[in-house]
Amino acid sequence: MELLIRNGFVYDPINSINGEKMDIAIRDGKFVQKVNEFSARKIDASGMIVMPGGVDIHCHIAGSEVNTGRLLRPEDHFKDFERKTLKTRSGVGRSIPSTFTTGYRYARMGYTTIMNPSMAPLEAKHTHEELNDTPMVDKATYPLLGDWWFVLEYLKDGAIEECARYVAWMMTTTKGYAIKIVNPGGLEAWGSGRNVSCIDDQVPYFGITPREILRGLCKVNKLLNLPHTIHVHTNNLGKPGNYLTALDTMKCVEDLSSEGKPAIHITHCQFCAFKGSNWRSLTSGAEEIAKYVNNHSHVTLDMGQVIFTDTTTMTADGPFQYTLYELTGNKWVNHDVETETSSGIVPFRYRRKSYVNAIQWSIGLELALLIEDPWKIFMTTDHPNGGPFVYYPKIIAWLMSRKAREATVQKINQRARSRSLLPSIDRELSFYEIAIMTRAGQAKALGLVNKGHLSVGADADVAIYNINPETTDPSTKYRTIRKTFRNAAYTIKNGKIAAKNGEILEHVKGATMWLDVQVSDPIKVTEGMKRRFREYWTVEYENYPVTENYLEISHPIAVKADV
Amino acid sequence: MISLHPQKEFVFPIIAEGINPDVFQDKNRGEIEELEIWEGNKQKKLGELFKVKETGTEPQQEDIAIVIYGDLSRVRRIGAWMKGGEITINGNVGMHLGEEMEGGKITVHGSVGGWAGSMMKGGIIEIHGNASHYLGAAYRGSSQGMNGGRIIVHGNVGYEAGAYMRKGLMKIYGSVGQFAGFRMHNGTIYIQKDCEGRVGACMKNGKIVVAGFLESVLPTFTIESIRKKVKIGEDDVAEGPFYRFLGDLTENGNGKLYVLKEENPHLSTYERLL
Amino acid sequence: MPVVKAVPCPVCGSLCDDIELTIENGKIVKVKNGCAMCESKFLSHNSEHRILKPLIKRNGKLIEASFEEAAKKAAEILADANYPILYGWSSTNCEATRVGLELAEEIGGVIDNTAVICHGPSILSVQQVGIPSCTLGQIRHRADLVIYWGSNPWSSHPRHIERYTTFSEGRFQRSTWKRYLLKVKASIVRKKIESALRRVFFKKKPSTPRIGGLPPSMLREGRKLVVVDVRKTKSAEIADYFIQVEPCKDYELLQALRALIRDEEIDVDKVAGVPVENLEEVADLMIKCNFGILFFGVGLTMSEGKMRNIDAALSLVRDLNTRTKFAIMPMRGHFNVTGANTVFTWQTGYPYAVDFSLGYPRYNPGETSIMDILLNKESDATLVVASDPAANFPQKAVEHLVKNPLIVIDPHMNVTAQMADVIFPSAFVGIEESGTAYRMDHVPLPLKKVVNPPRDVLSDEEILRKILSEVRKLKEKKLVEVA
């Protein structure tokens, strides 16, 4: 099938196209030089913005903890539902939508690629089964490896190459995409009810520090030539004063970057940019973090923006979630996974009038605006932790309009208002910069070669928004911005018109991308290995891997490792 | 006044959120008959299931009164979210009556199903028959129970009456099942007759008065004093003497549980602790 | 003879995955590593009450029919129904459940799984309180205090203790198997002496007095096993400490423990038949352990107080986490009841009792759960997959169930099937059909197809897909007619 998008204002930052009026041609799911003008289906995009489909580097949409979050909160979804139509499946929404609804809602906003950032390897099959039921988007998922006993043991012995071989095995075995590290060392400690307090604290029983884990896995990542960097949720997340931990974490791999390439991604950075010694004296550490990031090229970040709403927090960071339970007294789920990781869930309401929440809200935006290079910081809410992803249009409006920010600043806690840096920041992002922060930059950081741009040969994922950049000033028309980005005029997935003005036209299935990491000397399945397996886990070796038949549409990406 | 009469005996659950004075407001009979209503998995028009009659004055009243006759025990969600007006039901009625209502009055001359007045914020529900389980309770997973208004039941009530209650008054002239006032945060529950037990479990605050027989008080309540009388609501007083217990200790609670001394001689063992 | 290793056992929620099967001429002839339930399932699945052809009831008699015919008949029943129920799902794979949900949505029905009659109350309480839990390996490696409450794993989950808890060997905790052996030997000797004495002196069996205080084994280092139940079960016999709770008083006992771990004083001397002093010791034990785990079974979920018993148990464990590390887990019964809840939840947001009658998922156990619907006589057709409600539901519910058209998909001619209008024979999931199942701790495992099903016998998933496509055909036809 051929498709021709005509006359749109095209924003394609990877190809440095900044609002040029041009046509985009699509054939069989890929961008092509041109198509038959007469027979191709045409979309008149004049007066509209054309961007690559949105990419989300970090959103919890599938797997054990997400699903337990769904189960935990009937009161969260019973008023927000989607009826079955002739084209679509039914479902429920609010902070943790059911799988089909998740896909539809992303598609409506013009998103076509999403990354599920936390998967316990033992429960990887669950994540993939849910991803199969998440339509409209291509997706991938990151296995949690920072507290895996194999990693801790090999790194303690300094056996980096051995560790790399096991990580390669794990990546392929769980059909994962990147190395996810959450509170390195802290999760293993949480298995016995403890935590680590800084990156040089010892992990109980294992004689290793978070610093060694971070550096070790960073080296492994490089040895394996993985497309993305290590994806790190820092120690001490959500604690006052933790911006120092975040800085330490970034610094500790500074020397491991080569040719100015990123070596680490600090995720939902808002949650680890707290300055102050307690909740009362909490202020923003965004300035310090921005300063560091502006002067170094080895770091990328995503925002983890907070939205003032009721949501459900869920991370693999068990001790952090427990603290959150103690703070709120809300219902609490903990789920530790043998040999690998932990996780927790607590419902949470971010309140405008809460000093801490208002500061958090401010930090996220400060980070995005103070970091000069939009290729280094991406827009996320760490869905659903900072708020559900459906609020992205609101964040775009805040980033593009000082007025929008002022309007909200007026409504937040007074003490937070007086301490917020936002009133002193004039920067307003352009559509081009928004395109970087919501797709191009994310795709580049993820090493997704066929996503996030409109070059010939790339996957034909496009979002068209009905707004004229020549006649609309986002600075003043921030409400229009919000409305526009809520429902894309067209969302095109694999060259098919998937959604139009908020209506799902086709239930398109997306592929699951995973890394087929090829090492020269792969792990051999010996009886010894099987025995070790039985000692570490309660399942047999044979039943552990996610075989390829678990992936409805499997899209392996071959990676040639240096080990 | 608008009156509704079922056209037939209902077999499948009927979801009738449309039967609500706010919805009927400014609508004539024809428009009311066109309202959406669900019978099992089939969408119907209200007129298909109910005969709609207008009696008395013109339709555009300030406070609409709806009167329903017949057996509505399968009809659910009548008066949900209503903000004003009046509904009178002559017969039994199904679940979720007046759920999340904010104002107005519902009177039932018959018995009601579960979750009546669940999460209500204001208004009055008066039930002359029995009420089933979860009277004025919260939805699954929610801790926001009844948050205002009044529920009066002249008959008996099932279990978990007033679970997660936060505000308001519940007056029950009959007896109640287990776990009345479960995890209640505030508000008042008065029970004229017997109470099956586990009353006030996990309550944080609020007041529960049992004027009938209560087999045992949970071990996590502690006796505090004996009171001559207890105030119920604005202008009502129950004459005692009552044992006054505080709890629930498990929730560091400050809830007050009053149990009538006269009906419960077996609780006199607690007196040695006073 | 081919031997298949690492086969997950499709019987109970423990889902042991180390079973070795020997296959001869397409038949399982030997089972290694399994418990008695496992062996009997693998060895005898094919022997009795097996249906091999679809059956349709005509003039009160079940008559063999072609698969096409039966599927069409089932589709007609479901497509016409005003309030149909689709029930079962705990003994099939997740793949079948996925199709089941699609079918329920298509026909605007209610879909419910067997959790409703076992751990449904647990789920309702989890939704109110949350649940601090972990995978079973975490317990094997770390737990030094294991409590089974209202559960008798020795007979319901025979290998649970040996694979995952006190008798398993972990990284930080040793197995107490040897200690148990010594204890058993000692008790056999004691019993022998006692019976000899009885024979000599013609005395009646002495009733063992309830001893206050903790037994010496509880003061030892290492892991301990505590059982709380209304009677002394086999599991209670092997336990280091047994607390006998008065029937229907679990709630009071749990709440008392909650108060005690908060260092509160209790006004009464005894709770649920247990002296408060003993409870104080138990509370102390809980606080002082390094990693505790509480398993609870239907003895707690289905006794008086139901979901609120679980509310108290969950709250107790949650509260304990302020003092130490403690986890809690329901002892799920059927091998894939957890999987059914899981698939339900990701597709609809709700774990069981999902009502699609308004075109979107609604959930309210007590209203949209099968038992309530049947008792209220609201349904007008039922499809049962891999379950036997007629054998274990109350009489009144069964009466309504069989009064209306009933479709059964099951390998066996079970009680429900005997009353059905359409019956589809299906393959045994986990023996003749692969797929995914979820262990009680939410660990997904791949079920194996080790032998072929009998000729023409299809899997639950295939049968459901066929019915779904027939329903869609009927609906399309109707749409065309209307147009």
Side-chain angles (χ1 to χ4, degrees):
Chain A
M1 200 188 94
E2 294 188 333
L3 194 62
L4 186 60
I5 304 164
R6 308 186 71 166
N7 273 324
F9 297 99
V10 174
Y11 289 87
D12 180 7
I14 286 179
N15 292 311
S16 309
I17 299 170
N18 184 358
E20 268 174 59
K21 234 184 206 178
M22 54 199 283
D23 294 353
I24 302 289
I26 295 168
R27 184 186 305 121
D28 300 331
K30 301 274 176 197
F31 295 115
V32 289
Q33 207 68 49
K34 61 182 189 189
V35 289
N36 186 323
E37 285 218 20
F38 297 100
S39 62
R41 181 163 178 190
K42 284 169 273 292
I43 291 177
D44 179 12
S46 45
M48 298 189 193
I49 281 178
V50 178
M51 288 184 184
V55 179
D56 199 335
I57 198 168
H58 190 107
C59 55
H60 300 259
I61 54 150
S64 173
E65 72 186 44
V66 175
N67 209 41
T68 310
R70 285 187 195 111
L71 180 144
L72 184 67
R73 302 208 63 193
E75 83 284 8
D76 178 62
H77 14 253
F78 82 118
K79 286 184 183 167
D80 180 15
F81 50 80
E82 299 213 358
R83 272 179 212 272
K84 167 187 166 16
T85 69
L86 286 175
K87 294 270 168 57
T88 63
R89 299 286 304 272
S90 66
V92 293
R94 274 297 305 160
S95 64
I96 329 146
S98 53
T99 51
F100 305 121
T101 305
T102 301
Y104 301 145
R105 289 189 175 179
Y106 261 113
R108 287 191 189 117
M109 294 195 310
Y111 273 72
T112 50
T113 305
I114 52 187
M115 297 283 153
N116 183 64
S118 122
M119 166 172 79
L122 180 61
E123 296 167 344
K125 292 184 195 77
H126 182 174
T127 308
H128 285 290
E129 287 192 310
E130 282 194 28
L131 289 178
N132 286 339
D133 270 349
T134 309
M136 320 303 282
V137 286
D138 289 333
K139 52 249 159 176
T141 174
Y142 316 151
L144 290 152
L145 300 176
D147 292 78
W148 180 27
W149 285 359
F150 279 52
V151 164
L152 301 185
E153 285 164 2
Y154 287 119
L155 291 183
K156 176 169 170 24
D157 297 343
I160 296 283
E161 293 210 353
E162 195 64 8
C163 185
R165 290 170 62 225
Y166 275 96
V167 169
W169 172 83
M170 190 58 117
M171 204 56 78
T172 307
T173 297
T174 60
K175 303 287 176 281
Y177 188 82
I179 298 176
K180 175 77 185 294
I181 305 171
V182 173
N183 184 5
L187 305 192
E188 165 48 37
W190 179 244
S192 37
R194 283 178 269 178
N195 197 356
V196 291
S197 61
C198 68
I199 74 163
D200 291 311
D201 204 357
Q202 289 271 334
V203 182
Y205 304 116
F206 284 86
I208 191 171
T209 62
R211 179 190 298 274
E212 289 163 328
I213 299 172
L214 287 162
R215 285 184 60 83
L217 284 175
C218 190
K219 286 179 197 161
V220 164
N221 203 80
K222 217 165 130 193
L223 277 175
L224 296 177
N225 291 320
L226 304 187
H228 186 33
T229 59
I230 50 171
H231 195 97
V232 180
H233 160 135
T234 62
N235 300 110
N236 286 332
L237 195 98
K239 278 188 201 154
N242 64 8
Y243 81 105
L244 290 172
T245 314
L247 287 173
D248 283 344
T249 307
M250 294 186 242
K251 279 179 201 157
C252 96
V253 294
E254 209 175 291
D255 60 317
L256 297 179
S257 144
S258 52
E259 302 151 30
K261 275 197 214 148
I264 187 168
H265 179 84
I266 303 286
T267 191
H268 40 72
C269 191
Q270 171 273 129
F271 289 104
C272 57
F274 297 175
K275 209 160 120 182
S277 52
N278 56 42
W279 291 116
R280 255 202 84 70
S281 65
L282 180 81
T283 52
S284 164
E287 227 171 348
E288 286 81 355
I289 287 184
K291 198 170 150 208
Y292 181 84
V293 174
N294 286 336
N295 288 315
H296 293 83
S297 59
H298 71 289
V299 190
T300 56
L301 310 172
D302 65 85
M303 289 164 71
Q305 177 61 35
V306 153
I307 308 287
F308 296 117
T309 183
D310 184 41
T311 190
T312 312
T313 67
M314 51 176 70
T315 69
D317 197 342
F320 162 66
Q321 295 293 151
Y322 180 69
T323 317
L324 216 50
Y325 151 68
E326 283 193 316
L327 280 174
T328 60
N330 285 347
K331 43 192 174 184
W332 167 56
V333 171
N334 184 73
H335 184 67
D336 295 347
V337 179
E338 63 208 59
T339 318
E340 293 169 359
T341 180
S342 73
S343 66
I345 305 163
V346 178
F348 196 88
R349 179 181 282 276
Y350 293 101
R351 295 172 197 274
R352 276 196 193 88
K353 296 297 174 196
S354 146
Y355 172 70
V356 171
N357 299 162
I359 289 282
Q360 283 186 282
W361 171 80
S362 183
I363 292 175
L365 295 173
E366 289 165 17
L367 282 168
L369 295 165
L370 291 174
I371 291 172
E372 287 150 12
D373 184 357
W375 294 94
K376 284 183 181 169
I377 178 146
F378 314 125
M379 191 188 84
T380 66
T381 57
D382 183 16
H383 163 81
N385 287 303
F389 63 82
V390 289
Y391 288 101
Y392 284 172
K394 245 184 162 164
I395 306 177
I396 295 177
W398 282 324
L399 292 174
M400 296 188 84
S401 159
R402 200 172 186 280
K403 266 209 164 114
R405 298 196 290 268
E406 264 166 19
T408 310
V409 165
Q410 285 315 310
K411 286 188 244 164
I412 64 172
N413 174 287
Q414 208 175 350
R415 202 156 66 87
R417 194 189 313 157
S418 66
R419 295 204 183 176
S420 170
L421 302 177
L422 285 180
S424 66
I425 302 173
D426 292 327
R427 187 171 171 203
E428 291 179 328
L429 300 188
S430 63
F431 285 114
Y432 187 70
E433 287 169 309
I434 290 295
I436 298 170
M437 287 180 68
T438 56
R439 42 266 286 165
Q442 311 215 18
K444 190 175 162 224
L446 287 163
L448 290 169
V449 268
N450 288 321
K451 306 278 181 198
H453 58 98
L454 306 171
S455 321
V456 168
D459 295 344
D461 300 343
V462 188
I464 304 174
Y465 299 104
N466 190 1
I467 188 166
N468 188 329
E470 282 183 346
T471 56
T472 318
D473 176 14
S475 175
T476 52
K477 298 272 184 214
Y478 60 87
R479 285 201 180 84
T480 314
I481 294 287
R482 246 182 249 159
K483 211 173 129 233
T484 308
F485 282 94
R486 200 169 299 148
N487 286 320
Y490 294 90
T491 304
I492 293 158
K493 176 88 202 90
N494 296 342
K496 292 175 191 151
I497 303 176
K500 185 181 173 188
N501 294 322
E503 192 192 342
I504 302 297
L505 298 185
E506 195 174 343
H507 180 101
V508 189
K509 291 201 166 175
T512 303
M513 301 173 284
W514 57 279
L515 300 183
D516 180 12
V517 188
Q518 292 154 4
V519 291
S520 55
D521 180 20
I523 300 298
K524 282 184 193 67
V525 190
T526 57
E527 277 309 308
M529 168 84 171
K530 286 189 182 177
R531 209 168 33 244
R532 189 166 172 205
F533 227 85
R534 252 172 244 138
E535 275 167 26
Y536 282 25
W537 284 280
T538 48
V539 302
E540 295 293 303
Y541 172 85
E542 289 87 341
N543 295 324
Y544 191 82
V546 179
T547 43
E548 212 173 334
N549 62 345
Y550 265 94
L551 279 54
E552 208 160 72
I553 303 177
S554 168
H555 179 43
I557 297 168
V559 176
K560 194 132 183 56
D562 290 338
V563 285
Chain B
M1 196 177 79
I2 289 154
S3 69
L4 302 175
H5 305 259
Q7 304 261 32
K8 59 178 178 187
E9 192 182 325
F10 299 130
V11 178
F12 308 110
I14 312 287
I15 309 292
E17 281 162 1
I19 304 183
N20 178 334
D22 308 339
V23 179
F24 281 20
Q25 190 122 26
D26 303 327
K27 288 196 175 63
N28 60 32
R29 207 185 89 191
E31 286 166 330
I32 289 171
E33 283 174 342
E34 288 295 305
L35 286 172
E36 174 188 307
I37 190 165
W38 285 80
E39 182 185 27
N41 56 18
K42 309 279 187 293
Q43 194 178 341
K44 298 272 167 78
K45 287 172 186 159
L46 197 129
E48 291 176 68
L49 302 184
F50 289 92
K51 194 180 264 174
V52 184
K53 284 186 194 162
E54 273 172 275
T55 42
T57 49
E58 63 275 13
Q60 285 93 353
Q61 271 183 339
E62 262 302 285
D63 284 324
I64 297 252
I66 304 171
V67 184
I68 318 175
Y69 299 90
D71 180 20
L72 305 175
S73 46
R74 292 193 202 282
V75 186
R76 296 176 189 167
R77 310 194 70 81
I78 290 179
W81 300 301
M82 70 187 261
K83 293 189 170 65
E86 217 178 313
I87 301 178
T88 308
I89 300 163
N90 296 300
N92 298 338
V93 63
M95 298 179 200
H96 305 285
L97 175 78
E99 181 163 297
E100 292 190 70
M101 72 188 272
E102 292 175 19
K105 185 171 182 192
I106 301 178
T107 313
V108 184
H109 299 283
S111 292
V112 303
W115 289 276
S118 153
M119 300 178 277
M120 73 188 275
K121 296 180 180 72
I124 301 172
I125 300 180
E126 183 157 8
I127 298 156
H128 289 277
N130 298 331
S132 189
H133 313 304
Y134 300 106
L135 180 72
Y139 178 67
R140 302 289 178 195
S142 167
S143 61
Q144 310 288 321
M146 178 172 176
N147 202 6
R150 265 187 293 160
I151 300 180
I152 299 147
V153 186
H154 295 274
N156 302 329
V157 177
Y159 49 73
E160 306 225 355
Y164 294 94
M165 181 168 182
R166 287 178 178 260
K167 212 172 152 187
L169 173 66
M170 196 176 270
K171 238 173 158 179
I172 299 160
Y173 289 102
S175 50
V176 299
Q178 287 200 346
F179 291 108
F182 179 76
R183 281 192 191 270
M184 73 189 273
H185 291 252
N186 221 325
T188 307
I189 302 177
Y190 172 81
I191 304 153
Q192 175 118 341
K193 287 199 181 139
D194 305 346
C195 188
E196 227 180 87
R198 289 165 183 174
V199 60
C202 295
M203 72 192 286
K204 285 213 167 94
N205 213 327
K207 192 193 284 181
I208 303 176
V209 183
V210 183
F213 175 72
L214 175 64
E215 192 186 310
S216 69
V217 175
L218 281 171
T220 49
F221 276 74
T222 178
I223 184 109
E224 191 231 15
S225 57
I226 297 177
R227 295 289 170 98
K228 282 215 182 84
K229 51 187 167 190
V230 194
K231 210 176 144 196
I232 299 157
E234 299 283 286
D235 39 32
D236 209 351
V237 169
E239 291 296 334
F242 288 97
Y243 293 116
R244 176 167 141 133
F245 294 89
L246 292 183
D248 188 323
L249 296 179
T250 57
E251 297 290 327
N252 209 8
N254 193 27
K256 288 100 190 160
L257 171 62
Y258 296 87
V259 188
L260 191 68
K261 195 176 160 183
E262 197 187 323
E263 295 282 328
N264 296 283
H266 60 290
L267 296 180
S268 62
T269 48
Y270 278 99
E271 283 176 29
R272 69 190 155 87
L273 298 167
L274 284 171
Chain C
M1 275 188 291
V3 173
V4 195
K5 288 190 175 179
V7 180
C9 162
V11 178
C12 78
S14 299
L15 212 62
C16 308
D17 71 332
D18 60 343
I19 311 300
E20 282 184 30
L21 300 176
T22 309
I23 317 284
E24 204 180 272
N25 300 327
K27 284 213 168 78
I28 301 165
V29 293
K30 199 176 146 201
V31 182
K32 209 179 133 192
N33 292 343
C35 64
M37 296 197 300
C38 165
E39 275 190 25
S40 103
K41 171 117 188 194
F42 276 118
L43 292 178
S44 65
H45 76 273
N46 217 356
S47 57
E48 47 181 335
H49 306 305
R50 193 79 196 254
I51 332 166
L52 297 173
K53 280 259 185 296
L55 304 170
I56 296 181
K57 190 175 265 175
R58 287 205 178 98
N59 306 323
K61 269 192 188 153
L62 285 168
I63 293 163
E64 279 193 7
S66 73
F67 179 57
E68 282 290 319
E69 252 180 297
K72 282 206 169 103
K73 176 82 187 148
E76 276 166 25
I77 292 172
L78 294 173
D80 283 346
N82 287 294
Y83 203 56
I85 312 175
L86 283 66
Y87 176 74
W89 314 107
S90 313
S91 296
T92 185
N93 54 16
C94 294
E95 287 75 2
T97 306
R98 275 180 73 190
V99 186
L101 283 155
E102 200 170 346
L103 178 61
E105 186 189 82
E106 189 66 49
I107 60 172
V110 171
I111 184 163
D112 202 354
N113 59 59
T114 63
V116 73
I117 54 160
C118 57
H119 277 283
S122 316
I123 292 171
L124 292 177
S125 285
V126 168
Q127 289 172 340
Q128 298 290 0
V129 183
I131 180 168
S133 195
C134 57
T135 62
L136 290 164
Q138 201 72 351
I139 294 154
R140 197 182 81 191
H141 288 305
R142 300 175 203 261
D144 60 347
L145 176 62
V146 179
I147 304 173
Y148 289 97
W149 195 310
S151 163
N152 180 12
W154 195 268
S155 36
S156 65
H157 300 72
R159 295 180 71 210
H160 197 265
I161 298 175
E162 130 206 1
R163 264 175 74 81
Y164 308 120
T165 69
T166 25
F167 294 170
S168 68
E169 188 81 12
R171 185 174 187 135
F172 310 112
Q173 286 295 331
R174 322 244 44 145
S175 163
T176 56
W177 173 245
K178 282 194 183 129
R179 199 164 86 201
Y180 164 69
L181 282 182
L182 289 176
K183 193 180 151 189
V184 170
K185 270 185 197 161
S187 109
I188 290 170
V189 171
R190 201 182 60 234
K191 274 183 188 161
K192 271 185 183 162
I193 295 172
E194 275 171 6
S195 84
L197 287 174
R198 262 206 313 278
R199 262 177 280 132
V200 173
F201 299 106
F202 297 102
K203 274 187 184 160
K204 274 186 195 160
K205 195 177 173 183
S207 60
T208 39
R210 289 279 296 279
I211 315 152
L214 295 176
S217 66
M218 291 303 285
L219 306 171
R220 235 177 281 164
E221 281 292 301
R223 5 176 85 130
K224 287 148 200 116
L225 177 63
V226 175
V227 169
V228 187
D229 216 323
V230 290
R231 70 187 75 83
K232 191 153 189 179
T233 58
K234 182 77 184 153
S235 310
E237 275 171 29
I238 65 160
D240 295 295
Y241 191 45
F242 168 57
I243 301 170
Q244 188 160 10
V245 53
E246 269 176 29
C248 302
K249 290 285 180 201
D250 298 272
Y251 187 78
E252 281 74 11
L253 193 62
L254 285 161
Q255 284 289 91
L257 281 171
R258 284 187 66 201
L260 290 172
I261 64 155
R262 301 175 66 103
D263 298 325
E264 300 275 8
E265 295 268 339
I266 288 183
D267 282 1
V268 290
D269 307 327
K270 259 187 173 186
V271 176
V274 186
V276 170
E277 294 142 50
N278 288 23
L279 285 181
E280 277 166 356
E281 284 171 336
V282 175
D284 209 38
L285 197 78
M286 286 173 152
I287 292 164
K288 286 198 177 128
C289 76
N290 293 315
F291 187 121
I293 170 81
L294 196 160
F295 290 102
F296 60 94
V298 279
L300 197 58
T301 64
M302 284 293 146
S303 69
E304 198 183 307
K306 286 196 170 181
M307 63 191 261
R308 297 315 177 195
N309 291 341
I310 313 305
D311 184 292
L314 294 168
S315 305
L316 168 67
V317 171
R318 184 198 58 197
D319 296 350
L320 275 163
N321 274 279
T322 56
R323 314 288 293 260
T324 181
K325 178 97 183 172
F326 225 103
I328 179 165
M329 197 186 297
M331 295 287 281
R332 305 306 299 267
H334 294 292
F335 72 92
N336 197 26
V337 62
T338 311
N341 294 146
T342 302
V343 185
F344 274 51
T345 307
W346 86 56
Q347 288 208 355
T348 72
Y350 306 117
Y352 69 105
V354 180
D355 181 341
F356 283 106
S357 62
L358 304 194
Y360 61 90
R362 286 187 308 135
Y363 164 78
N364 190 20
E367 175 185 4
T368 61
S369 37
I370 181 167
M371 198 69 84
D372 301 273
I373 294 170
L374 291 177
L375 291 173
N376 290 338
K377 303 183 178 156
E378 289 159 349
S379 62
D380 60 349
T382 312
L383 168 76
V384 177
V385 181
S387 182
D388 195 3
N392 52 34
F393 276 19
Q395 181 65 29
K396 280 242 163 71
V398 177
E399 273 168 21
H400 187 75
L401 178 77
V402 301
K403 216 181 89 193
N404 289 298
L406 175 62
I407 306 158
V408 169
I409 303 177
D410 206 287
H412 287 300
M413 192 69 191
N414 60 22
V415 181
T416 312
Q418 283 166 18
M419 305 177 180
D421 298 275
V422 185
I423 304 166
F424 294 89
S426 66
F428 270 100
V429 173
I431 303 175
E432 298 165 347
E433 170 69 7
S434 58
T436 313
Y438 284 69
R439 203 165 69 181
M440 61 165 69
D441 57 349
H442 288 95
V443 171
L445 285 163
L447 299 167
K448 287 202 171 79
K449 177 178 181 170
V450 287
V451 293
N452 286 319
R455 246 186 73 161
D456 299 335
V457 170
L458 301 171
S459 69
D460 296 331
E461 186 191 355
E462 288 166 310
I463 297 163
L464 287 159
R465 269 199 199 291
K466 176 71 182 170
I467 298 175
L468 176 62
S469 87
E470 291 297 327
V471 166
R472 289 206 166 125
K473 272 188 213 159
L474 285 174
K475 282 189 129 187
E476 266 161 39
K477 219 170 111 189
K478 227 181 217 170
L479 273 181
V480 172
E481 277 168 20
V482 171

